[in-house]
Amino acid sequence: MTTAVTPAEDTLAAQSTPEGDASPPAAGEATPQPTPEPAPDPTPTEAVEAADGLKEAVASKSETAGSFIETLDSWALTIGENRISVWDSLVAASVLLLVIIGAWFITRFIAALIKRASKLDSTQQLLLQKISTIIVWAIAFLIGIDILGIDLTALAVFSGAFGLAIGFGLQKTFGNLISGILLLLDKSIKPGDVISVTDGAGNESVGQIRKIGIRAISVITRDRTEHLIPNENLMINQVVNWSYSSRDVRVKAPVGVSYGSDLKLVEKLLYEAARDCPRVLKTPPPRVNLMGFGDSSVDFDLRFWIDDPEEGLANIRSDVYMRIWELFKEHDIEIPFPQRDLNLRTNQQFDRLIEALSGSSKNNQKSDR
């Protein structure tokens, strides 16, 4: 006898059967496979998030401007999962320009405040200006990135090559920047100092430091030539700083007189010559030293001090020498020049040459008569 099963009973039986007790499929039946869900289409991410917000704000105010912006936004370049359009580039350039202008004005304002700080010397003021400038520009960069909402992963493709280029290209720049800050910290080189400068031909001249920049210092010599010396060179090379601890510089002027001169009078005239030059300091006083007895002269050394080496050393030495020459002329002090005795050995050829010269001179005298 066949028993009919109602749909209700069938449903009840299905609910009462636990999932774990499900009977395996019969032999020959295919195992059902789960249907995979379709993967969503990848949509490129906007690299500049601020551009989208600004586009929506403009479009809500003006349809014409919105359509124009849509056109600019349609011209785009996709890098990986990021999308950069012409509109994104314009917004980024505008924001960066505003940030740069704002940072420039802030650095000028801070520099003006630092210059008013009378308790700080010029070196400390310059050091604070440089440190504040670095901090302001670093903050401005971070603010610009934050305002734009730039996804920095958009540059991941170029990060390796860009970092390598920065490492090689800006290595000297960062080295000179750190060297300039260290020079200002230990005050070994500061604006206004007078240092010795050697040009490419090896000629040494004295110049005054006008400015210490991020990359190099500016040194102006007496002939108004401006030398730009990298900061790193001043850290690793020997530098002669004429005004490191004091601006007083001693200048030497060696002088020689004949052996028949009155040495006491010579000493007095040398002191007078130094006192007659305005740039020579009265304190420390000049000093005249007798250095030795040379082959043809008695050698003196006039040493005097100046406090303005940036005005030149050769010119003050020239002024002192001119005054010495005038005083020696007034008092008949002779400045000797080297003299040598020449001894000639006689021989037949030399005697014939003398006779020939004598005969030619006699013939010339007869022809003149």
Side-chain angles (χ1 to χ4, degrees):
M1 180 179 66
T2 304
T3 305
V5 179
T6 63
E9 293 175 352
D10 190 13
T11 304
L12 181 61
Q15 292 177 354
S16 62
T17 303
E19 295 180 359
D21 298 334
S23 60
E29 294 184 3
T31 304
Q33 299 294 332
T35 304
E37 297 182 359
D41 296 335
T43 303
T45 305
E46 291 290 340
V48 183
E49 298 179 359
D52 274 349
L54 183 60
K55 179 177 67 176
E56 294 175 1
V58 174
S60 63
K61 298 295 182 180
S62 173
E63 294 183 0
T64 304
S67 62
F68 178 71
I69 293 175
E70 286 290 346
T71 303
L72 295 178
D73 192 55
S74 63
W75 301 337
L77 174 65
T78 302
I79 303 176
E81 297 181 356
N82 298 277
R83 179 178 179 274
I84 302 176
S85 64
V86 176
W87 171 244
D88 295 335
S89 302
L90 290 176
V91 172
S94 301
V95 173
L96 289 178
L97 181 61
L98 292 176
V99 170
I100 290 173
I101 294 175
W104 185 83
F105 277 107
I106 292 175
T107 53
R108 291 296 181 273
F109 177 73
I110 294 176
L113 291 180
I114 294 175
K115 288 182 179 180
R116 295 180 182 177
S118 58
K119 294 183 179 180
L120 302 176
D121 57 25
S122 59
T123 305
Q124 293 172 340
Q125 291 178 356
L126 183 58
L127 179 60
L128 288 178
Q129 289 180 17
K130 289 188 176 297
I131 294 177
S132 63
T133 300
I134 295 174
I135 294 175
V136 168
W137 283 104
I139 294 175
F141 175 78
L142 296 177
I143 290 176
I145 295 298
D146 184 66
I147 291 176
L148 293 174
I150 294 178
D151 185 9
L152 296 180
T153 58
L155 303 176
V157 179
F158 306 102
S159 59
F162 184 74
L164 187 63
I166 290 295
F168 282 103
L170 298 182
Q171 180 181 5
K172 290 294 184 181
T173 301
F174 281 106
N176 288 321
L177 173 61
I178 300 302
S179 299
I181 294 177
L182 293 177
L183 289 174
L184 292 174
L185 283 175
D186 64 6
K187 298 182 180 181
S188 58
I189 298 292
K190 53 187 180 296
D193 282 354
V194 180
I195 64 175
S196 295
V197 180
T198 304
D199 57 16
N203 300 320
E204 185 179 16
S205 58
V206 177
Q208 186 178 28
I209 297 178
R210 186 183 66 88
K211 177 184 176 183
I212 299 181
I214 294 177
R215 189 189 66 85
I217 68 169
S218 171
V219 180
I220 299 180
T221 59
R222 288 289 300 162
D223 55 0
R224 296 301 176 186
T225 302
E226 189 166 1
H227 296 260
L228 297 179
I229 305 175
N231 297 331
E232 194 174 12
N233 289 1
L234 300 178
M235 292 288 295
I236 61 178
N237 296 330
Q238 182 178 353
V239 180
V240 178
N241 190 343
W242 292 81
S243 55
Y244 176 63
S245 58
S246 174
R247 294 187 60 82
D248 294 347
V249 176
R250 190 175 69 171
V251 184
K252 297 180 180 179
V255 179
V257 297
S258 63
Y259 278 94
S261 303
D262 185 352
L263 299 187
K264 290 295 184 180
L265 179 59
V266 170
E267 182 181 12
K268 177 182 176 182
L269 296 179
L270 291 177
Y271 278 118
E272 183 178 350
R275 289 193 298 266
D276 290 345
C277 294
R279 287 182 57 193
V280 176
L281 298 179
K282 302 299 185 291
T283 305
R287 174 67 184 176
V288 176
N289 293 329
L290 177 59
M291 304 303 296
F293 302 99
D295 294 338
S296 58
S297 65
V298 180
D299 299 327
F300 285 87
D301 199 1
L302 173 59
R303 303 177 181 182
F304 54 90
W305 295 82
I306 60 174
D307 61 356
D308 52 354
E310 67 276 4
E311 296 298 329
L313 302 179
N315 52 6
I316 181 60
R317 189 181 289 111
S318 174
D319 294 341
V320 171
Y321 275 141
M322 288 296 294
R323 185 55 182 159
I324 291 174
W325 177 267
E326 294 172 356
L327 293 175
F328 281 7
K329 284 292 185 181
E330 293 176 3
H331 296 82
D332 297 328
I333 301 296
E334 180 184 359
I335 299 178
F337 53 88
Q339 299 180 7
R340 296 291 184 269
D341 293 332
L342 185 60
N343 297 322
L344 298 176
R345 294 182 179 179
T346 61
N347 53 45
Q348 294 181 358
Q349 295 180 351
F350 182 73
D351 293 339
R352 291 174 184 176
L353 177 61
I354 296 299
E355 292 176 359
L357 293 175
S358 301
S360 61
S361 62
K362 291 179 180 180
N363 294 331
N364 290 334
Q365 292 177 359
K366 291 181 180 178
S367 61
D368 292 338
R369 294 176 182 176

